[in-house]
Amino acid sequence: MSASTRDPQVITCKAAVAWGPGEALVLEEVEVDPPKPMEIRIKVVCTSLCRSDITQWESKAHTLLFPRIFGHEASGIVESIGEGVTDFKEGDHVLTLFTGECMTCKHCTSGKSNMCQVLGLERRGVMHSDQKTRFSIKGKPIYHYCAVSSFSEYTVVHSGCAVKICPSAPLEKICLLSCGVAAGLGAAWNVANISEGSNVVIFGLGTVGLSVAQGAKLRGASRIIGVDTNPEKYKKGKAFGITEFINPADCNEPVQEVIKRITDGGADYSFECIGDTGMITTALQSCCDGWGMTVTLGVPKVKPEITAHYALLLSGRTLRGSLFGGWKPKSDLPSLVDMYLKNEIQIDEFITHNLQFEEINEAFNLMREGKCLRSRVQENSWQWP
């Protein structure tokens, strides 16, 4: 696919536009504005579909944010830079970031948080800087998603919402590090800080859950128990460290009781990777008294409130939330890329389908039907091995 330049400033290219909640994406010709101060315009090479894209695409809670371009897990090449940008140049290889890092706010300088106060999660479908969009069709604004919108051949992001990476890293693979894989690894290493010889239980064996498993395996966990209603996930999970599998549909008692019985009182760590707040309670109940920790990573589709008996916490259990695995995105992601290049972490094995941009709706279908981990979508020309 190629983009044509209507004038020296505005680019016209193809984008997969969602015109309404749950409606099939339509490949449209969109106009992409030039980058404004502290922004960069990226030629998207590869993107992959994350479960949160589907959750927000299906949601009818924000109908005013349509038409919209989804996508946030992507890799690409800097096409142009805006005024004031000093950390990028044209031709740099980058990963997009759904949550940015300004380096100067209270959270960025605290050493305790990755919740940037300036470039944190953008929920209004616009750019952080001026609350406007950079996409349009015949003058009609098209809303962004997470200030990334990678389901477009070209996109504009704040310079704090992208990270420069080693040019030898394969863009068609490492795009997964800009969300799911990094989120799971970080939850295991940064948030839970899994200890050697521990028992771990993971609810939901999608890309995030299996990335947690990979992180637990690399930390030397002795048992990594996967919980999922799809038995096919066990076969895939073994490659990432899953040692045992429980299908709640096959149990004659609540799954938390099964876990407590086979772990002599509960797991040391449990991870909720489904996006079900009811399952957070189950994960807490699956932990042991005294030091058991539950980490929640999923984005709930409904019922965002958590309900749990106070005794679960009074007995010493801990409940922690995890956004992007606690990684400071611009500061920390390059180290994960280096680990991949040294064959210290797995990424390739998460890619179950390779699709062209015209097939992007198939990626949605595959994930909704539970038939994939990650579908890789190629948008611009790139040599795949």
Side-chain angles (χ1 to χ4, degrees):
M1 297 180 185
S2 61
S4 60
T5 304
R6 289 182 52 177
D7 59 55
Q9 297 296 313
V10 176
I11 278 180
T12 299
C13 70
K14 290 183 181 179
V17 179
W19 289 94
E23 294 182 13
L25 275 58
V26 180
L27 283 185
E28 304 276 13
E29 292 288 326
V30 301
E31 293 183 338
V32 186
D33 288 344
K36 302 228 185 289
M38 300 308 297
E39 296 175 354
I40 61 175
R41 188 159 58 187
I42 299 171
K43 176 183 180 180
V44 178
V45 171
C46 281
T47 187
S48 46
L49 179 65
C50 176
R51 172 64 66 173
S52 61
D53 289 307
I54 290 185
T55 298
Q56 295 303 313
W57 167 68
E58 292 178 330
S59 174
K60 296 182 179 179
H62 304 289
T63 56
L64 294 179
L65 296 183
F66 287 87
R68 198 172 197 184
I69 298 173
F70 285 94
H72 62 280
E73 195 175 81
S75 59
I77 300 171
V78 176
E79 178 269 338
S80 57
I81 62 174
E83 181 184 348
V85 175
T86 59
D87 51 341
F88 294 102
K89 64 181 185 301
E90 293 179 10
D92 282 345
H93 289 198
V94 296
L95 291 176
T96 58
L97 304 172
F98 70 90
T99 180
E101 183 182 356
C102 75
M103 307 284 191
T104 59
C105 72
K106 177 181 178 181
H107 279 252
C108 284
T109 58
S110 69
K112 302 176 183 179
S113 167
N114 66 347
M115 302 284 289
C116 180
Q117 293 172 297
V118 178
L119 301 173
L121 284 173
E122 207 299 308
R123 303 176 188 274
R124 290 175 287 186
V126 292
M127 296 294 290
H128 288 94
S129 56
D130 60 4
Q131 304 299 295
K132 296 180 180 179
T133 74
R134 301 291 180 265
F135 298 105
S136 62
I137 296 179
K138 298 178 181 178
K140 179 181 178 62
I142 308 297
Y143 290 101
H144 297 240
Y145 177 63
C146 286
V148 174
S149 294
S150 60
F151 295 166
S152 173
E153 290 180 319
Y154 288 81
T155 189
V156 176
V157 303
H158 192 283
S159 60
C161 293
V163 58
K164 182 179 177 179
I165 57 172
C166 174
S168 63
L171 293 175
E172 75 280 1
K173 296 176 181 178
I174 58 161
C175 58
L176 274 65
L177 281 177
S178 66
C179 185
V181 174
L185 289 171
W189 295 343
N190 303 327
V191 181
N193 192 19
I194 290 174
S195 57
E196 185 176 1
S198 57
N199 295 327
V200 176
V201 60
I202 303 167
F203 293 86
L205 299 182
T207 296
V208 174
L210 293 179
S211 296
V212 171
Q214 178 179 188
K217 177 183 178 181
L218 292 172
R219 278 293 178 90
S222 61
R223 299 175 73 180
I224 306 173
I225 304 166
V227 180
D228 203 292
T229 55
N230 183 350
E232 294 295 319
K233 295 294 181 70
Y234 185 31
K235 299 177 183 178
K236 297 175 181 177
K238 289 180 180 179
F240 299 99
I242 297 293
T243 60
E244 301 161 64
F245 179 78
I246 299 174
N247 185 339
D250 297 336
C251 298
N252 296 320
E253 57 184 325
V255 66
Q256 61 266 33
E257 297 301 324
V258 175
I259 293 168
K260 288 165 68 175
R261 175 164 46 79
I262 66 176
T263 58
D264 188 25
D268 300 301
Y269 306 94
S270 67
F271 295 83
E272 187 282 316
C273 306
I274 300 172
D276 182 339
T277 50
M279 196 57 66
I280 295 175
T281 303
T282 300
L284 267 173
Q285 293 169 333
S286 301
C287 281
C288 65
D289 290 340
W291 62 83
M293 179 187 295
T294 294
V295 179
T296 178
L297 296 82
V299 178
K301 302 178 184 65
V302 295
K303 192 182 178 294
E305 298 82 10
I306 298 171
T307 302
H309 197 284
Y310 82 99
L312 292 173
L313 302 176
L314 189 65
S315 62
R317 293 174 177 85
T318 302
L319 173 62
R320 296 198 63 181
S322 176
L323 176 69
F324 198 46
W327 300 112
K328 287 181 173 292
K330 285 182 73 75
S331 301
D332 296 335
L333 272 192
S335 66
L336 287 180
V337 174
D338 289 342
M339 290 184 71
Y340 169 73
L341 293 175
K342 295 176 182 177
N343 295 316
E344 294 174 356
I345 58 173
Q346 296 169 269
I347 295 179
D348 301 22
E349 294 79 0
F350 289 100
I351 301 171
T352 55
H353 296 78
N354 296 314
L355 302 173
Q356 297 300 311
F357 201 16
E358 294 84 355
E359 303 172 293
I360 194 165
N361 284 302
E362 178 63 14
F364 277 69
N365 294 335
L366 287 166
M367 181 164 282
R368 294 174 82 185
E369 295 167 4
K371 295 180 178 179
C372 73
L373 288 177
R374 278 295 191 266
S375 293
R376 176 176 62 183
V377 180
Q378 182 180 11
E379 297 192 30
N380 281 290
S381 58
W382 182 257
Q383 185 66 43
W384 283 357

